[in-house]
Amino acid sequence: MLGFVIQRLIQASLVMAAMSVLVFVGVYAIGNPIEIIIPPEATQEIREATIRSLGLDLPLWKQYFIFLGNLTEGDFGRSFIYNLPVLELILGRLPATLELVLISIVSATVCGVALGIYAGYRPDSLIAKTIMAVSVLGFSVPSFWVGLILILTFAVNLGWLPAGGRGETVTLFGVEWSFLTFDGLSHIVLPALNLAFFKLAMMIRLARAGTRETMLTDTIKFARAAGISEGRILRRHLLKLISIPIITVFGLELGSTLAFAVVTETIFSWPGVGKLIIDSIAVLDRPVMVAYLILTALLFVMINLTVDLVFALIDPRIRAKGA
């Protein structure tokens, strides 16, 4: 097991090293933030002094190694626009994104797996066909359209829920959370539904396919022949057999939703990391863009590493193969 962990850590380190180069070069090749930061009426002396203070007068390779040196100390630089440490800026927005994503992904997984198992266990029933129709709709409809329909229906026409914002928050362990208040929960319902819709459809189809395949295996046939009840078969055998693909998708979807909840946060004016990166791209705030992309890459690497370790604990054949 130790060899397996070391091998995965080395792979993760190499991936992060490659990503840091690609992200830094890619972002710094786009546009010129000086044209946005410095007003047109500024003198040439002010312009040159600003460029020097931001380190933009140095060659790109030297800027990268300075950035890399600062990164080893946990310093992602300062935002050009907000004039705040980038890490502090991102961490300040992270709780809003984190609570939105966790609520949407966990609810989509729990409901999706339960509905998918039922659809796979009773494939010819009317309820199962309705569930699969909903899953097809979830894959077919773009998330921005779903978000606009949710706002139009529940906020504009019915007036049941607010159309945007985060609502009232409560400080817990020094962090602002909105799900702990009724007003905050009412604000989180629509964006969470919007984020969860596609994930729900994916989990339904994944659980249904796994259930249909597993129910035909000898394991289930022997369990039935031994007189084990259907409920116990579903809980003890079926869930265990379909757990690996579900864990994989859950981990990847958690990472992708945390990183790319941009559309939902923009539509619902949710003050999370996704909206921050959209605002930063608009004003070419390079330090924020670079830090966001590197942290996103780190998030995916860590999730993949965690999923691999969970697989190794569940199935000894995987760690034997990777050792």
Side-chain angles (χ1 to χ4, degrees):
M1 186 65 181
L2 180 60
F4 179 84
V5 173
I6 293 174
Q7 180 183 2
R8 291 297 185 270
L9 287 174
I10 293 173
Q11 291 174 355
S13 300
L14 293 176
V15 169
M16 285 306 303
M19 283 302 301
S20 69
V21 175
L22 292 174
V23 166
F24 193 88
V25 173
V27 169
Y28 275 69
I30 299 173
N32 185 7
I34 294 300
E35 303 300 331
I36 298 176
I37 298 171
I38 303 177
E41 63 272 13
T43 63
Q44 185 64 28
E45 289 77 12
I46 294 176
R47 185 182 181 89
E48 291 176 356
T50 304
I51 292 174
R52 284 195 302 272
S53 67
L54 297 176
L56 298 177
D57 59 325
L58 301 174
L60 185 60
W61 64 269
K62 188 173 289 187
Q63 292 184 49
Y64 171 74
F65 281 110
I66 291 174
F67 167 77
L68 205 60
N70 293 335
L71 195 62
T72 57
E73 300 175 359
D75 181 10
F76 284 85
R78 295 183 73 86
S79 166
F80 291 165
I81 305 301
Y82 299 96
N83 195 28
L84 291 171
V86 171
L87 192 59
E88 176 185 326
L89 193 61
I90 292 177
L91 291 178
R93 299 287 192 98
L94 185 60
T97 297
L98 193 62
E99 64 179 351
L100 175 63
V101 168
L102 286 177
I103 288 174
S104 61
I105 292 296
V106 171
S107 59
T109 301
V110 172
C111 295
V113 170
L115 293 173
I117 290 175
Y118 182 89
Y121 191 69
R122 298 276 189 253
D124 298 323
S125 67
L126 178 61
I127 296 177
K129 292 178 181 178
T130 304
I131 291 171
M132 295 313 298
V134 171
S135 72
V136 172
L137 188 65
F139 273 108
S140 305
V141 181
S143 62
F144 71 87
W145 187 85
V146 173
L148 294 175
I149 293 299
L150 289 173
I151 292 174
L152 183 64
T153 303
F154 295 101
V156 178
N157 293 336
L158 298 175
W160 291 352
L161 296 167
R166 197 180 178 195
E168 184 182 352
T169 60
V170 169
T171 302
L172 181 65
F173 303 118
V175 180
E176 297 286 335
W177 302 100
S178 62
F179 73 96
L180 296 174
T181 67
F182 180 78
D183 183 62
L185 278 176
S186 66
H187 279 78
I188 206 172
V189 169
L190 291 184
L193 280 175
N194 188 45
L195 266 183
F197 194 46
F198 177 79
K199 316 302 177 186
L200 176 69
M202 180 181 297
M203 289 298 178
I204 287 174
R205 298 185 75 86
L206 184 65
R208 180 188 181 275
T211 301
R212 294 289 294 155
E213 181 180 351
T214 304
M215 294 304 290
L216 300 176
T217 60
D218 292 337
T219 301
I220 302 300
K221 292 177 181 178
F222 289 145
R224 283 174 169 166
I228 300 176
S229 65
E230 292 295 319
R232 189 172 181 182
I233 288 174
L234 292 176
R235 292 192 304 270
R236 294 291 183 87
H237 299 283
L238 179 66
L239 279 175
K240 185 176 181 179
L241 291 172
I242 68 173
S243 62
I244 287 182
I246 290 175
I247 291 172
T248 304
V249 173
F250 178 85
L252 294 177
E253 288 303 311
L254 177 61
S256 65
T257 309
L258 271 171
F260 306 119
V262 175
V263 174
T264 297
E265 291 188 359
T266 303
I267 291 174
F268 292 93
S269 299
W270 190 261
V273 180
K275 193 168 187 309
L276 172 65
I277 191 62
I278 288 294
D279 296 340
S280 300
I281 291 172
V283 294
L284 290 179
D285 197 348
R286 285 178 177 174
V288 176
M289 296 162 64
V290 170
Y292 174 82
L293 292 173
I294 288 181
L295 289 173
T296 297
L298 178 62
L299 175 67
F300 276 99
V301 167
M302 294 305 296
I303 287 176
N304 282 324
L305 178 62
T306 303
V307 170
D308 285 344
L309 296 179
V310 171
F311 282 177
L313 292 173
I314 293 176
D315 191 347
R317 294 172 300 177
I318 296 177
R319 62 174 179 264
K321 188 184 298 183

